[in-house]
Amino acid sequence: AASKAMADALHTDPHAAPLLFGSDVRHEVHVVWKFRGRDCAGRIDALGSTTVIDLKSARSAQPARLANAGRWAGYHAQIAWYMDGCAAAGLGPRVPYLIAVESGAPNPVVAMRLTERAIEQGRAIYRGWFETLLTCERSNAWPGYVQDVIDFDVPDDASFSLLIDGDEIEVA
């Protein structure tokens, strides 16, 4: 029932539906290409004649929260990877989108077009990951994030704000 409600929300959203379900859109498209001489692949959620779309379910599709969660999870790196993969596979350039649907009722949907800056940063991130992979393979060393105990601290001006019903409330 929850999945059907999410699917219904995507099908009826005036912005997401044409991107996801247009006549030129294919779903779960497996794309293969080479990057730095290595075989690579990706399974793209939705691929239109001019679009590449990554679809996510989210606890919150509120745009600021979604963008923050997406940056933290590297969604822009994933989408840049798919865009570059499409280009390398001869599928041409694509306009990148992230579409999210909330997992809880009433299942709001948000469609975001990634900016060139987001794609460039995502590209830098995935290339950095790739270099780390190559270095680990060459050295046969697979270190964790840190090799020692590190400090957890907060800045002197540590404060944060909450967004409640569109109003930002500063919390000391």
Side-chain angles (χ1 to χ4, degrees), residues 148-154:
D148 203 347
V149 175
I150 61 171
D151 291 333
F152 177 99
D153 198 3
V154 295

Side-chain angles (χ1 to χ4, degrees), residues 67-81 83-84 96 114-129:
N68 188 45
R71 283 188 301 271
W72 184 85
Y75 293 167
H76 55 319
Q78 179 182 8
I79 296 170
W81 175 253
M83 287 179 61
D84 291 351
L114 278 74
T115 65
E116 185 60 33
R117 183 171 59 190
I119 291 300
E120 285 303 317
Q121 186 181 80
R123 187 172 284 129
I125 290 168
Y126 89 66
R127 288 179 176 171
W129 291 338

